Amino acid sequence: MDTEIGTSGITLYGLEGFAGMRTAGQLAAEALDMLVEYVVPGVTTEALDQRVMEFARDHKAVPAPLNYRGFPKGICTSVNHVVCHGIPGPKPLREGDIVNIDVTLIVDGWHGDTSRMFSVGQIPRKAERLVDVTYESLMRGIAAVKPGQTTGHIGEAIQTFAEGQRCSVVREFCGHGLGLNFHEPPNILHYGKAGEGVELKPGMIFTIEPMINLGRAPVKVLPDGWTAVTRDRQLSAQFEHSIGVTEDGCEVFTLSPKGYHCPPFAVAA
């Protein structure tokens, strides 16, 4: 295995790691592409979870969230004011809802982790705007990734843009290293200052996954121990990519083969 552990305990992956992450990342993105036609008014998030479970089985992959620290389902589905880690259930989606669907598939030991926003039918303008701001926040964070920069450069790029659009950045959750493990160092904060945090080096692999709120930043976790919601019940949105730091920038492993990863994205007929 062409990997090494840096002085900060962060794994630096080589060509084999990047190849494995490409395969896993593309499959996770394909799973989200597959869901587009099914995210319609009346569908339950439980049914969407089942679709991904079947997709994973058919492609000889394993849904990483299932039974991870006791999580009961194969994907996370976070609707409207749910920030992250929403548990799929029997409640139908309604016209005008927005939902983040977070998929992590394990392929030959490698973890492809990605999420994106879905519109349920026609959504309000304020929801469209939040989704657009959140996606642009992610892409600005990715654009800040290159060797010699720090994780603080990523956070500052995201925070500066989101707050400039009169939205707020969730502090309680962050991106994370991954590869052969679901979660490993470094943590990727979505706020901060350039120059702070960990220096970025070729071979690092991690997620960037900003959670942006239409209202205030504070969140709370519901009694199920997983579902995080905005305290003011305003809308929240999130996009996530898995990326690897290269010699001159970064590679995104989880781009949609159909281009559905960015808004305006496909909405089922």
Side-chain angles (χ1 to χ4, degrees):
M1 180 70 63
D2 55 342
T3 63
E4 63 177 277
I5 306 297
T7 55
S8 57
I10 297 170
T11 302
L12 302 178
Y13 291 93
L15 295 177
E16 182 180 349
F18 273 58
M21 287 299 296
R22 275 186 213 109
T23 300
Q26 278 299 285
L27 191 65
E30 288 173 19
L32 289 176
D33 286 358
M34 175 272 298
L35 288 178
V36 167
E37 65 179 293
Y38 301 109
V39 180
V40 295
V43 74
T44 66
T45 50
E46 207 164 44
L48 299 176
D49 175 74
Q50 189 58 39
R51 294 275 182 189
V52 175
M53 294 287 284
E54 292 169 359
F55 178 91
R57 182 195 63 215
D58 292 344
H59 291 82
K60 296 180 172 59
V62 176
L66 184 63
N67 298 320
Y68 180 78
R69 297 181 180 175
F71 191 80
K73 297 290 185 177
I75 63 175
C76 298
T77 51
S78 302
V79 182
N80 294 334
H81 71 288
V82 178
V83 175
C84 62
H85 302 157
I87 301 172
K91 184 177 178 180
L93 295 174
R94 299 183 300 177
E95 179 86 15
D97 285 344
I98 57 173
V99 55
N100 176 272
I101 301 179
D102 192 339
V103 170
T104 306
L105 295 181
I106 307 172
V107 182
D108 296 328
W110 299 98
H111 292 68
D113 189 0
T114 184
S115 80
R116 70 179 78 137
M117 298 302 298
F118 289 76
S119 299
V120 184
Q122 297 301 310
I123 63 175
R125 177 66 191 113
K126 67 178 182 179
E128 286 184 353
R129 178 177 173 274
L130 175 64
V131 168
D132 288 344
V133 168
T134 305
Y135 178 75
E136 181 64 19
S137 296
L138 168 65
M139 298 313 293
R140 291 189 181 218
I142 291 173
V145 176
K146 61 182 179 180
Q149 302 272 67
T150 67
T151 54
H153 283 87
I154 301 171
E156 181 178 272
I158 292 168
Q159 182 182 7
T160 299
F161 177 74
E163 292 181 352
Q165 297 296 312
R166 302 185 307 281
C167 295
S168 58
V169 180
V170 171
R171 289 344 194 232
E172 288 87 345
F173 301 97
C174 62
H176 53 88
L178 81 167
L180 290 171
N181 298 302
F182 195 177
H183 295 90
E184 59 184 52
N187 288 335
I188 307 297
L189 303 182
H190 303 119
Y191 60 94
K193 296 293 184 183
E196 295 179 347
V198 176
E199 182 182 351
L200 302 178
K201 297 180 180 180
M204 286 183 176
I205 294 176
F206 50 78
T207 68
I208 304 177
E209 47 184 296
M211 288 142 273
I212 308 298
N213 295 348
L214 195 60
R216 298 174 64 84
V219 308
K220 64 178 179 180
V221 177
L222 298 184
D224 63 24
W226 286 103
T227 308
V229 301
T230 57
R231 285 188 174 272
D232 60 10
R233 297 186 65 84
Q234 294 275 3
L235 295 175
S236 185
Q238 179 187 21
F239 283 89
E240 174 184 16
H241 276 314
S242 296
I243 71 167
V245 182
T246 63
E247 294 293 336
D248 57 359
C250 69
E251 177 179 350
V252 181
F253 300 121
T254 46
L255 295 175
S256 160
K258 296 184 177 181
Y260 292 167
H261 53 273
C262 57
F265 31 72
V267 178

